[in-house]
Amino acid sequence: MDPVLIGEILAALMFFGVIGFLLLGFPVAFTLAGTSLLFGSLGMAFGVFDPSNFGSLPNRYIGFMTNEVLVAVPLFIFMGVMLERSQIAEQLLMTMGKLFGNLRGGLGFSVVLVGAMLAASTGVVGATVVTMGLISLPAMLRAGYDPKLATGVICASGTLGQIVPPSTVLIFMGDMLSGINSQVQMAKGNFAPTPVSVGDLFAGALLPGFLLIGLYLAYVLFKAVTDPASCPATPVPPEEKKDLLREVFVALVPPLLLILAVLGSILGGIATPTEAASVGAVGAMILAAMRWRLSFGVLQKTVVATATITSMVFVILLGASVFSVVFRMMGGDNLVHEFLSNLPGGKLAAVAVVMVIMFFLGFILDTFEIIFIVIPITAPVLLALDVDPVWLGVMVGVNLQTSFLTPPFGFALFYLRGVAPPELPTSAIYKGILPFVLLQIVAIAILFAFPQIVTWLPRLIAG
C-alpha cells in the first residue's frame, strides 16, 4: 500500500482515537500526548513517521514559556479571580436587580448586563456562573421566574467571558493565527504580510459580543411580553430606593474604569495585551483593597487558583503539540487540505464545515482542547484560501462559547448544578439552555453572512 495513504489513514484514526479515549474519561492532556505517541509508534512500524520529528518539541515548549503574549493569560486569570474574591459580582447583581426590579424580566436583564460586565472585567466563566447562580438564581426562583428561563439566562450570560475581551481564548487564538498566517503568506510569496495580533481579535470580538448580549436581552424581553408569568417584576421597597443612585454609582464605576483602562489601552495602541493585563491585575488588587477584601489569605488563594487554571491550560497545550507533530508528519494536514479545498462552494463552504465540526466537538470537548487540536489542522488551509484570520478567530470564539452550554459535558451546566437548590431538577437546567444555544447559532449565522461586523473595527483602528 502507498505509504502516503497509510500515513493519512493513521492520522485520521488518531483524531478519532483521541475523541474515543476522551469519552472514556481519560485526562485530556495525557490522552492527547499518549494517543499521539501510540500512533506515532504505529507510524514508525509502517515506515511513515520519523521519530526525529519529536526533536522539535523542546524548542516549541521553550517558545511557549518565553512567549511574551502568552504571559497575559495568567495575568488576566489573576485579575478575574481577584475581582471575584473582592465580591464585585455580588454588589453588581444586587444593585442591578434593584435598578431593573420594577420591570417584568428585570432580574433577567440585570443578569445579562452583569454577566457582560464580568466578562469584560474577569473572563473567568466558572467563577461568574457560580457567583450568579448563588446570588441570582434563588432570587429569581423566589420571584416566581420560570426555572428554565432563570437557569438558561445565568448559564448563557456566564459564558460571555469566552468571547468578550479580554478573553483568554482569544489570546491563544491570536498567537496561533499570527504564526500560521505568517507561514501561509510566506508560502504564497508574500514576505511582508499584514500581522495579526491579539489586539485585532479583541477589537473584532467587541461587536459580536454586543450582538450576543443584545440577543440575550431581546429573548428576555420576548418572554416578558409573551409570557409575563415566566419573569414577573420584583418591585423595590420605597426605603431601598433612596440610596439607589449612589449604590449604582459605587457598584458600576470602579469595574467600568478598570475595563476602560485594560481594553482602552489595548485598542488604543497604548499598551500590549500583556502590559494591559498587568495593569488589570494591579487594578483588581486596588479594587479589592478599596472594599477591604485584600488580605494575605485572599492573595494566597488567588495565586493558587491562578496557577491551577494556568497549569491546566498549558499542560493541554503541551499535549496538543505532540498531537500536532504526529498528525502533520504522517500527512494529516494534506488530508485536511484536500478535503477542505475540494469542497463545492469554495472557502465559505470550508469555513462552514469547520464551524459545524467544532460545534459538535463542543458536546464532548472543552474550548481549549478544541482550539489546540483543530486550529493547527484547519487554519493553514482556510487562511491559504484567503479567509480573513481575524474573522476566522472571532467566528471560532463565538462558536466555541456553546461548548460550555451543550450537554453532556457543558461545564456551565455543571457549575450551576453544583450551586442550584436540590429541588431544582437537572432537566430544567438542560432545557433552559436550549434557546440560548439557538441564539448563539443565530449569532454565528449573522457573522457568517456579514463578516464586516467583525472586520470593521480592527480595520478602523488600523487606519
Side-chain angles (χ1 to χ4, degrees):
M1 187 181 292
D2 184 8
V4 174
L5 181 60
I6 294 175
E8 291 179 349
I9 292 174
L10 288 176
L13 290 175
M14 182 176 70
F15 179 80
F16 292 107
V18 165
I19 295 175
F21 282 120
L22 289 174
L23 288 174
L24 293 175
F26 289 98
V28 177
F30 304 122
T31 298
L32 286 170
T35 306
S36 302
L37 291 173
L38 174 63
F39 277 88
S41 300
L42 289 174
M44 291 164 54
F46 283 102
V48 295
F49 181 76
D50 186 350
S52 64
N53 290 315
F54 287 128
S56 64
L57 288 175
N59 288 333
R60 183 174 295 195
Y61 292 163
I62 292 173
F64 294 147
M65 291 185 286
T66 58
N67 190 327
E68 184 179 332
V69 174
L70 297 185
V71 174
V73 173
L75 289 172
F76 276 129
I77 293 174
F78 178 92
M79 182 180 83
V81 177
M82 178 58 73
L83 288 174
E84 185 261 331
R85 303 275 179 184
S86 65
Q87 297 186 333
I88 282 182
E90 289 90 331
Q91 189 176 18
L92 278 171
L93 284 166
M94 295 173 65
T95 305
M96 298 297 280
K98 293 179 183 179
L99 188 62
F100 291 100
N102 292 325
L103 302 174
R104 286 201 303 266
L107 287 178
F109 294 139
S110 62
V111 166
V112 174
L113 294 174
V114 171
M117 288 195 63
L118 293 178
S121 57
T122 67
V124 182
V125 170
T128 303
V129 173
V130 168
T131 301
M132 293 199 296
L134 286 170
I135 298 171
S136 294
L137 183 57
M140 297 172 88
L141 295 178
R142 284 196 303 269
Y145 269 64
D146 183 342
K148 296 189 292 295
L149 176 62
T151 56
V153 75
I154 289 173
C155 286
S157 302
T159 61
L160 285 169
Q162 286 299 288
I163 187 61
V164 175
S167 162
T168 52
V169 171
L170 294 180
I171 294 173
F172 278 107
M173 278 201 295
D175 183 67
M176 295 168 71
L177 289 173
S178 176
I180 293 171
N181 185 59
S182 296
Q183 295 174 6
V184 169
Q185 294 302 319
M186 285 191 287
K188 296 171 70 173
N190 180 10
F191 296 101
T194 302
V196 179
S197 68
V198 174
D200 293 332
L201 261 67
F202 280 4
L206 274 181
L207 292 182
F210 285 127
L211 173 63
L212 278 172
I213 295 166
L215 289 174
Y216 294 167
L217 291 172
Y219 178 71
V220 176
L221 178 62
F222 171 78
K223 293 292 288 185
V225 173
T226 61
D227 187 11
S230 67
C231 49
T234 53
V236 180
E239 60 272 14
E240 293 186 16
K241 289 183 178 180
K242 295 178 181 178
D243 295 328
L244 185 56
L245 288 179
R246 184 185 65 82
E247 290 181 24
V248 170
F249 180 84
V250 172
L252 286 179
V253 171
L256 281 176
L257 289 177
L258 185 62
I259 292 169
L260 289 175
V262 174
L263 291 185
S265 61
I266 296 173
L267 300 180
I270 300 171
T272 65
T274 304
E275 293 165 345
S278 64
V279 171
V282 173
M285 288 193 289
I286 293 174
L287 291 186
M290 290 170 60
R291 285 171 166 76
W292 302 99
R293 297 286 178 181
L294 185 61
S295 64
F296 180 78
V298 168
L299 188 60
Q300 182 185 40
K301 291 178 181 178
T302 301
V303 170
V304 170
T306 301
T308 302
I309 298 171
T310 304
S311 300
M312 176 195 71
V313 173
F314 275 86
V315 168
I316 295 173
L317 179 57
L318 299 182
S321 298
V322 182
F323 175 89
S324 179
V325 167
V326 177
F327 186 87
R328 293 183 64 187
M329 292 302 108
M330 287 200 301
D333 53 346
N334 294 328
L335 182 66
V336 173
H337 186 277
E338 292 174 7
F339 171 70
L340 293 179
S341 300
N342 294 324
L343 284 173
K347 65 180 182 182
L348 292 181
V351 172
V353 168
V354 171
M355 290 297 111
V356 171
I357 292 172
M358 285 187 168
F359 176 78
F360 284 106
L361 285 177
F363 283 77
I364 56 176
L365 298 179
D366 180 46
T367 298
F368 288 106
E369 299 157 16
I370 296 173
I371 63 171
F372 292 155
I373 295 173
V374 179
I375 291 294
I377 295 173
T378 59
V381 183
L382 297 178
L383 297 187
L385 295 173
D386 294 325
V387 173
D388 187 291
V390 175
W391 178 66
L392 176 63
V394 173
M395 285 283 288
V396 170
V398 176
N399 191 346
L400 293 186
Q401 188 183 340
T402 60
S403 68
F404 279 89
L405 298 177
T406 46
F409 299 124
F411 285 102
L413 310 180
F414 295 153
Y415 295 142
L416 188 60
R417 177 67 275 176
V419 298
E423 61 271 16
L424 180 71
T426 302
S427 60
I429 300 176
Y430 280 73
K431 291 177 182 177
I433 56 93
L434 290 178
F436 294 92
V437 172
L438 292 176
L439 288 175
Q440 288 177 324
I441 294 174
V442 169
I444 295 170
I446 292 173
L447 298 178
F448 190 87
F450 303 99
Q452 57 269 31
I453 296 175
V454 175
T455 58
W456 173 76
L457 187 56
R459 289 175 180 171
L460 179 66
I461 293 174

